């Protein structure tokens, strides 16, 4: 018996899983589906197909197109199969750790997204039963556990029921058996089935099958699916049959093509004149407002860009609707000093609706009977299902990992909610905002010129005051995500309390300085910075000699500046990424939404 050695485990935090069972060749469909879901993880990719009780497996490190060109993933034979793209967190990015993984018998194979937290215990039990392991992944443990249970029951359904009863953690997986049968289970990680006559697509995301069908079954938590020649059957984890409903995927999610744009990120930045006008859904906004008016204690949370939108919401609601609302970074929720009071209301903001930190915050809040209101781009997401009310951004799929159009659509929704709360005291002119977006997008030569300069620098600061501080934070995040420059937001008034020490002739500072109530104070900060020789990039509708580089924004109502002033910075981060030859759509080490804490 081989001595058990504690190995470092590879978790599959944010991956895409896919399965196909039908009449066509599986491989081309699987590879195209993985390509569309690549924003979920792009460290390694693998495909396995089955035919005549045999498996063919190909996998490797790299992006889908690279590995496909090298190994011919889409040429594998068989009308059933599974596939995976991976985003590594623990352990090296190696061919061995790439998915799919086979069980010891070689008659069962699996792809998996998520974490198995009790992997060590399960692994040693399996090793004590004679199983051994090729990779360092928790996924291989599931494959062998299913084999153990299948060997004992000779029944696919029973083997899944027994296996999910032993797994702890958050996961979804697709497993293929020797006879071509597919099974898939969902425990807190997304799993959707696409249905097209008697072809079935099991996927992490509608993008996995959207080219083939817009008929989808959203698998509920703690349910599993079996697909074979007898069709599709859904059960809960105890084995009870589950009735399912086919829903139409909204057409907008079918639009996952770059069109003539070089990158999804540029396409999505360029869509904003249209998307800002699409976040209409006034009915839900009215209900949202009624819920906020009845709320005893109000909190708002999100991660990354969505948290920056939450900060803007706090500013707007406090200033214009005189409503006190506390912001909490979702990942800090478990460590927040004060427990959320009983019967509070929590507004959650999340583009994907799948960020684990946000879902964890909701789980904590629900322990004190908190009413959850969410603003999401995916109305079928886990977060929407956890909420009493969900508002959709209606801005279409966002593929670029760095959030752009979803941010301005989040702001549009938050402005509309605040405007209703203060009985129209803001009265935003969205047609004007859309026109201003088009103006900014059509005049980007100055931005490209500055990008050529920024490609040489490693640090940059973004300064803003009042509501513009949150935009400065979002600006810094975009520069980090897209151009890998260490970017730091500075509150204008805090400059002289420390950051001014960093200012010298090698430093660049972006100053967000619209001609509003913050203008003169921000100009004081600009003078302090200029006096130390630093270079200033001014984002403003008012020219000034103090700027070494002026990015002009068109004038607009004072309160709407935050929505427009972020667009030139999205473009600056994008063009700087191009200058630095990084991939704007798939920045290193990041993923579109991180589905684990
Ligand atoms: C990160 C994305 O993974 O998650 C960011 O790269 C995003 O762009 C953040 O802002 C939060 O995601 P979501 O989907 O919860 O808004």
């Amino acid at each position: 018996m081989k001595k058990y050695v504690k190995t470092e485990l590879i978790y599959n935090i944010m991956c895409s899983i896919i399965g196909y069972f039908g009449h066509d060749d599986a491989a081309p469909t699987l590879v195209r589906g993985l390509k569309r879901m690549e924003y979920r993880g792009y460290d390694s990719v693998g495909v396995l197909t089955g035919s005549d009780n045999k498996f063919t497996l190909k996998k490797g490190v790299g992006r889908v197109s690279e590995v496909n060109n090298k190994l011919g993933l889409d040429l594998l034979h068989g009308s059933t199969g599974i596939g995976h793209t991976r985003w590594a967190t623990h352990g090296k990015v190696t061919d061995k750790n790439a998915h799919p993984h086979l069980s010891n018998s070689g008659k069962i194979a699996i792809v998996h997204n998520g974490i198995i937290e009790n992997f060590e215990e399960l692994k040693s039990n399996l090793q004590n039963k004679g199983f051994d392991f090729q990779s360092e992944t928790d996924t291989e443990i599931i494959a062998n556990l299913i084999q153990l249970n299948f060997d004992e029951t000779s029944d696919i359904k029973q083997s899944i029921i027994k296996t999910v009863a032993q797994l702890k953690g958050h996961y979804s997986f697709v497993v293929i058996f020797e006879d071509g049968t597919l099974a898939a289970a969902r425990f807190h990680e997304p799993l959707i089935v696409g249905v097209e006559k008697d072809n079935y697509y099991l996927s992490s995301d509608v993008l996995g099958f959207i080219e083939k069908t817009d008929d989808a079954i959203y698998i509920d938590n703690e349910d599993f699916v079996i697909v074979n020649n007898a069709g599709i059957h859904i059960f809960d984890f105890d084995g009870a049959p589950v009735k399912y409903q086919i829903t139409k995927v909204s057409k907008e999610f079918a639009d996952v093509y770059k069109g003539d744009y070089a990158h999804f990120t540029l396409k999505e930045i360029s869509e904003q004149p249209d998307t800002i006008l699409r976040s209409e859904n006034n009915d839900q906004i009215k209900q949202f407002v009624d819920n906020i008016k009845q709320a005893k204690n109000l909190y708002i949370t999100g991660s990354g860009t969505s948290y920056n939108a939450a900060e803007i919401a706090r500013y707007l609601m406090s200033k214009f609707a005189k409503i006190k609302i506390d912001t909490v970074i979702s990942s800090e929720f478990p460590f927040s000093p004060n427990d959320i009071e009983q019967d509070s209301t929590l507004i959650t903001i999340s583009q994907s609706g799948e960020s684990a930190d946000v879902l964890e915050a909701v789980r904590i809040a629900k322990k004190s009977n908190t009413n959850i209101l969410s603003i999401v781009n995916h109305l079928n997401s886990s977060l929407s299902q956890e909420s009493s009310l969900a508002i959709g951004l209606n801005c279409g799929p966002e593929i670029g990992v760095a959030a752009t159009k979803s941010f301005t659509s989040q702001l549009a929704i938050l402005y509309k909610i605040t405007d209703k709360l203060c009985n129209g005291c803001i009265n935003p002119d969205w047609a004007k905002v859309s026109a201003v977006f088009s103006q900014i997008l059509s005049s980007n030569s100055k931005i490209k010129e500055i990008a050529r300069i920024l490609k040489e620098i490693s640090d940059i600061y973004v300064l803003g005051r009042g509501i513009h501080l949150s935009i400065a934070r979002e600006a810094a995040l975009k520069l980090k995500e897209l151009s890998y420059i260490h970017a730091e937001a500075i509150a204008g008034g805090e400059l002289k309390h420390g950051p001014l020490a960093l200012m010298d002739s090698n430093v660049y500072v972006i100053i967000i300085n619209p001609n509003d109530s913050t203008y003169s104070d921000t100009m004081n900060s600009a003078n302090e910075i200029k006096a130390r020789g630093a270079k200033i990039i001014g984002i403003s509708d008012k020219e000034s000699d103090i700027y070494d580089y002026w990015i002009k924004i068109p004038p607009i109502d004072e309160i709407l500046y935050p929505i427009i002033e972020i667009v030139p910075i999205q473009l600056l981060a994008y063009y700087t990424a191009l200058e630095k030859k990084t991939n704007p759509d798939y920045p290193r080490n990041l993923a579109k939404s991180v589905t684990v804490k």
Side-chain angles (χ1 to χ4, degrees), residues 303-306 349-353 355 358 401-403 481 591-594:
S303 303
T305 292
S306 297
I349 305 181
S350 174
Q351 187 280 137
S352 61
S355 290
V358 180
V401 166
E481 286 175 311
K592 184 65 191 167
S593 78
V594 177

Side-chain angles (χ1 to χ4, degrees), residues 44 269 355 369 378 405 410 447 449 452 482 553 582:
S44 65
I269 293 172
S355 290
N369 191 33
H378 294 261
K405 63 177 180 178
Q410 286 166 347
I447 293 171
E449 177 202 327
R452 284 190 286 278
L482 289 170
I553 54 173
T582 69

Side-chain angles (χ1 to χ4, degrees), residues 123-224:
K123 189 169 185 172
S124 67
N125 298 348
L126 286 163
Q127 283 174 320
N128 296 342
K129 291 192 170 69
F131 283 85
D132 52 33
F133 293 83
Q134 315 311 317
S135 79
E136 301 154 326
T137 65
D138 55 347
T139 307
E140 206 184 345
I141 292 160
I142 311 173
N144 284 322
L145 195 55
I146 292 173
Q147 181 193 320
L148 176 73
N149 294 323
F150 183 68
D151 292 348
E152 286 169 4
T153 61
S154 310
D155 179 274
I156 289 177
K157 181 181 169 192
Q158 287 311 317
S159 67
I160 301 295
I161 293 169
K162 291 187 74 173
T163 299
V164 293
Q166 294 166 277
L167 298 178
K168 292 201 177 68
H170 289 183
Y171 58 83
S172 58
F173 62 72
V174 183
V175 57
I176 183 169
F177 290 80
E178 187 185 26
D179 68 352
T181 298
L182 295 182
R186 174 181 186 216
F187 190 64
H188 291 298
E189 297 292 349
L191 181 66
I192 308 164
V193 177
V195 184
E196 178 216 9
K197 293 198 251 20
D198 42 21
N199 288 324
Y200 299 95
Y201 312 82
L202 296 88
S203 176
S204 301
D205 189 315
V206 291
L207 297 184
F209 54 75
I210 197 69
E211 67 160 359
K212 292 286 185 178
T213 177
D214 53 6
D215 286 335
I217 305 168
Y218 288 85
I219 304 302
D220 281 336
N221 206 28
E222 300 190 45
D223 281 358
F224 70 92

Side-chain angles (χ1 to χ4, degrees), residues 2-70:
K2 203 168 64 143
K3 173 96 194 54
Y4 163 64
V5 181
K6 180 166 182 337
T7 54
E8 181 178 337
L9 184 83
I10 302 280
Y11 294 147
N12 315 294
I13 304 308
M14 170 60 194
C15 308
S16 63
I17 60 176
I18 191 165
Y20 170 79
F21 184 97
H23 300 290
D24 310 333
D25 263 345
T29 298
L30 295 171
V31 170
R32 281 200 299 276
L34 291 172
K35 187 122 197 37
R36 281 193 300 277
M37 294 194 288
E38 200 167 23
Y39 70 92
R40 299 175 59 88
Y42 29 90
D43 288 319
S44 65
V45 56
V47 169
L48 174 147
T49 55
S51 87
D52 308 331
N53 287 25
K54 284 199 189 52
F55 289 154
T56 318
L57 165 61
K58 292 243 173 102
K59 59 182 180 176
V61 168
R63 303 272 310 279
V64 175
S65 41
E66 291 159 26
V67 178
N68 188 33
N69 296 343
K70 213 166 51 195

